[in-house]
Amino acid sequence: AWRFYYANVTISGADEHKNMGDSQVLDFVKNKVMAAEMTLKDRIGDDLYGTGTGSAINGLRLLVDNANTVGGIDQGAYSWWQAQEDTTTTTLSIAALQSQFNTLSINGKHPTVGIATRANYNRLYALLQPQQRFVDTETAKAGFQSLMFNGIPFIIGSKVPANHVFFLNEEFLHLYYHPKRNFVFDPFIKSTNQDAKTGKIFWMGQLGTSNARMNGKFTALAS
């Protein structure tokens, strides 16, 4: 089920003419297009962690769950299609993360990345900091540059919902996009009733999973 996104790029004739000729400092059109691309990426980023409602893509809170319908299959009715969801653990601990990681390690496969809010990233940092070891003083000045948990990256996701931590196996998550709608710019069209022109940037795609049970999440890690 494809999802469609677009962002408008509207430029008034007055603004375009103010920024041209010998006095031009910025490429006005180029910067307007870049701003629209950033807006579009921000919207898609929000929806990647959403619940797939309305016209949004299937977000991780839809796919990584145990009671949703994903790909036409009811997770509540089929346990083999349920992700591993922890809604009761409220305090982040290495033991809790390890338990979830072990649950998601099936047939030689295991999560490939952990993604957390900044607050939960910092909590894991604090737990690991007493074990921090340095090979040179320059490293010691900077502290951790990144965290690893069981050999996989544990990173901050700026769009991760509050109190959440995701353990994802990227082998079983798939971001599909149409090559003719992958941030493609549609040329400007001049308005018929004002001194302005409008173009659009399009993206068309969907997020899917081929094995929901290989992914998991915490939803209540508040301390």
Side-chain angles (χ1 to χ4, degrees):
W2 293 97
R3 294 293 183 263
F4 305 89
Y5 291 77
Y6 74 91
N8 285 323
V9 184
T10 300
I11 298 174
S12 72
D15 285 339
E16 187 174 14
H17 284 88
K18 290 175 186 176
N19 192 254
M20 65 184 303
D22 294 337
S23 61
Q24 182 179 15
V25 176
L26 299 173
D27 186 329
F28 184 68
V29 175
K30 179 180 178 180
N31 279 274
K32 289 282 282 187
V33 171
M34 288 176 59
E37 286 180 348
M38 291 177 64
T39 298
L40 189 55
K41 290 176 182 178
D42 198 53
R43 285 176 50 205
I44 296 172
D46 285 333
D47 290 347
L48 278 172
Y49 290 95
T51 57
T53 56
S55 60
I57 60 175
N58 295 335
L60 290 174
R61 281 190 287 165
L62 172 75
L63 303 180
V64 186
D65 205 277
N66 58 23
N68 291 327
T69 297
V70 178
I73 304 172
D74 184 357
Q75 292 177 320
Y78 300 99
S79 59
W80 51 266
W81 195 234
Q82 293 176 356
Q84 308 302 322
E85 181 179 15
D86 184 324
T87 61
T88 59
T89 301
T90 58
T91 299
L92 187 144
S93 68
I94 293 177
L97 295 177
Q98 183 65 26
S99 177
Q100 181 75 295
F101 188 93
N102 287 339
T103 301
L104 292 166
S105 299
I106 303 170
N107 296 330
K109 306 288 188 180
H110 59 75
T112 57
V113 65
I115 308 176
T117 60
R118 180 171 295 278
N120 279 320
Y121 177 94
N122 289 340
R123 288 170 184 135
L124 181 58
Y125 178 101
L127 292 173
L128 295 178
Q129 198 279 330
Q131 309 302 320
Q132 196 172 15
R133 299 294 183 269
F134 305 106
V135 295
D136 61 68
T137 57
E138 290 303 313
T139 302
K141 291 177 182 177
F144 287 139
Q145 293 185 353
S146 61
L147 297 180
M148 301 292 287
F149 185 81
N150 282 341
I152 68 170
F154 192 90
I155 62 177
I156 298 169
S158 62
K159 303 292 186 179
V160 175
N163 305 330
H164 278 59
V165 169
F166 290 90
F167 274 132
L168 305 176
N169 190 320
E170 297 159 285
E171 180 179 349
F172 303 103
L173 285 172
H174 315 284
L175 182 63
Y176 303 97
Y177 64 89
H178 198 291
K180 293 188 176 181
R181 281 292 181 267
N182 188 26
F183 288 90
V184 171
F185 180 72
D186 202 42
F188 286 107
I189 298 175
K190 288 193 68 68
S191 172
T192 58
N193 58 7
Q194 57 182 325
D195 185 14
K197 59 184 181 181
T198 299
K200 285 182 168 61
I201 299 172
F202 291 100
W203 187 83
M204 173 181 172
Q206 184 57 285
L207 181 66
T209 181
S210 54
N211 195 338
R213 70 178 181 147
M214 304 302 291
N215 302 291
K217 67 180 177 182
F218 294 88
T219 64
L221 294 175
S223 62

